[in-house]
Amino acid sequence: QVQLVESGGGLVQPGGSLRLSCAASGSIRSISDMHWYRQVPGKQREWVAIVTSGGSTNYVDSVKGRFTISRDNAKNMAYLEMNSLKREDTAIYYCYAIITPSGRSVGNGYWGQGTQVTVSS
């Protein structure tokens, strides 16, 4: 069974940094795009960043220049390095990936359970 697990969230002061990790586990044939989303209670989930299997990246405008998404294909991991954090970055951060399980030819979308990031003094 394929699973995504995020880690690395926590409480940080404005201007600080955090690094989130997303680990994919289970019987995996391949992983294509990996994304980070975030959600504030009562609001819609917001897309934050993408890293393709080839390493191409893109970001929502509000985090460009501050956040860096990356991945380690050998470890089935994705990361989100967050610098110069602002109070408005406070949210639950979710990893989402298109994963093709072993024995399958088509991938499905999988979500992690989320990790809380709180930016506060």
Side-chain angles (χ1 to χ4, degrees):
Q1 183 175 354
V2 174
Q3 191 175 14
L4 287 176
V5 177
E6 302 96 334
S7 61
L11 174 64
V12 63
Q13 292 186 343
S17 299
L18 279 176
R19 187 191 194 214
L20 306 183
S21 298
C22 171
S25 62
S27 298
I28 295 172
R29 177 179 178 181
S30 64
I31 304 176
S32 58
D33 298 344
M34 301 186 80
H35 303 252
W36 286 96
Y37 285 77
R38 63 187 180 185
Q39 187 170 23
V40 176
K43 295 189 176 181
Q44 282 194 329
R45 193 166 293 189
E46 174 189 38
W47 173 80
V48 175
I50 180 176
V51 57
T52 69
S53 57
S56 297
T57 60
N58 199 11
Y59 303 88
V60 67
D61 285 347
S62 60
V63 308
K64 283 181 179 177
R66 301 188 298 120
F67 290 11
T68 302
I69 189 172
S70 62
R71 63 191 287 169
D72 184 331
N73 291 330
K75 296 181 179 180
N76 289 337
M77 297 282 296
Y79 306 95
L80 187 67
E81 185 76 34
M82 304 185 295
N83 298 314
S84 302
L85 282 161
K86 304 175 181 180
R87 287 182 175 84
E88 52 264 41
D89 295 317
T90 295
I92 300 173
Y93 283 71
Y94 296 91
C95 180
Y96 175 79
I98 307 297
I99 300 174
T100 302
S102 298
R104 304 278 182 90
S105 58
V106 178
N108 295 314
Y110 293 84
W111 289 95
Q113 84 289 348
T115 185
Q116 176 72 47
V117 172
T118 303
V119 184
S120 175
S121 53

